[in-house]
Amino acid sequence: MADQAAALLEVLPDLAGRSVLVVGCGDGRYPRLLRGEGAGRVVGVDADQVLIAVAQREEERNPIGISYEVHRLDRLPVMGTFEIVLAFLDSPGRLGRVTASLAAGGLLVVVATNGLSFEEGLRDNGFRDIVLHRHESGDVHSARKAS
């Protein structure tokens, strides 16, 4: 995780006070990291109830203001409006669901969990300023949602 966390922090802008949605948050390590880096409102979402329970227990044990919800990616509702969405995805097929909660002009950061390229899917979904950040722990794509 340390290498991937460092790679993500290099890609992300200053998080001070920003709202962040983490899709595929697992046990909550990344929401906690981003909150620790100054993010304001942080929401973590994952389909795995067991992992969300782990994240919620940690939040109860050491509260820092993160909320967690269980949602399947194919049924992900609009979670509000966020300035940054960080998503761990294995396919570009669900980008529309993931980005429905991203504000116009907001930053999407996608960790490709299986090595696929998301560039075409990002372009097809109206994103601009697409950058691929290659890293040994997995490729990270960043892009801005069109205004």
Side-chain angles (χ1 to χ4, degrees):
M1 177 193 134
D3 287 341
Q4 189 174 57
L8 286 174
L9 291 176
E10 288 176 17
V11 172
L12 291 167
D14 178 15
L15 295 173
R18 295 189 185 221
S19 57
V20 182
L21 173 65
V22 183
V23 178
C25 73
D27 64 5
R29 68 184 65 175
Y30 288 106
R32 294 186 76 74
L33 172 70
L34 301 179
R35 185 79 168 110
E37 290 290 322
R41 180 172 62 114
V42 179
V43 176
V45 175
D46 202 286
D48 189 322
Q49 294 177 347
V50 172
L51 290 175
I52 289 294
V54 169
Q56 288 173 327
R57 278 193 303 274
E58 180 60 24
E59 179 64 23
E60 290 167 5
R61 188 183 71 72
N62 183 16
I64 59 174
I66 301 171
S67 61
Y68 295 98
E69 296 186 26
V70 176
H71 293 288
R72 285 183 27 191
L73 188 55
D74 62 343
R75 294 186 182 161
L76 183 66
V78 175
M79 301 296 300
T81 302
F82 294 85
E83 296 167 272
I84 299 169
V85 172
L86 169 60
F88 296 84
L89 300 174
D90 61 4
S91 165
R94 302 281 189 231
L95 280 171
R97 286 248 185 224
V98 169
T99 61
S101 298
L102 184 61
L107 180 68
L108 172 67
V109 176
V110 177
V111 177
T113 59
N114 62 1
L116 288 179
S117 174
F118 282 74
E119 291 180 59
E120 184 178 338
L122 290 166
R123 276 194 303 279
D124 290 349
N125 280 278
F127 280 82
R128 58 183 173 75
D129 303 330
I130 300 167
V131 178
L132 171 61
H133 310 268
R134 293 228 181 255
H135 193 269
E136 61 208 28
S137 63
D139 290 347
V140 178
H141 296 77
S142 64
R144 291 266 172 211
K145 187 172 184 178
S147 301

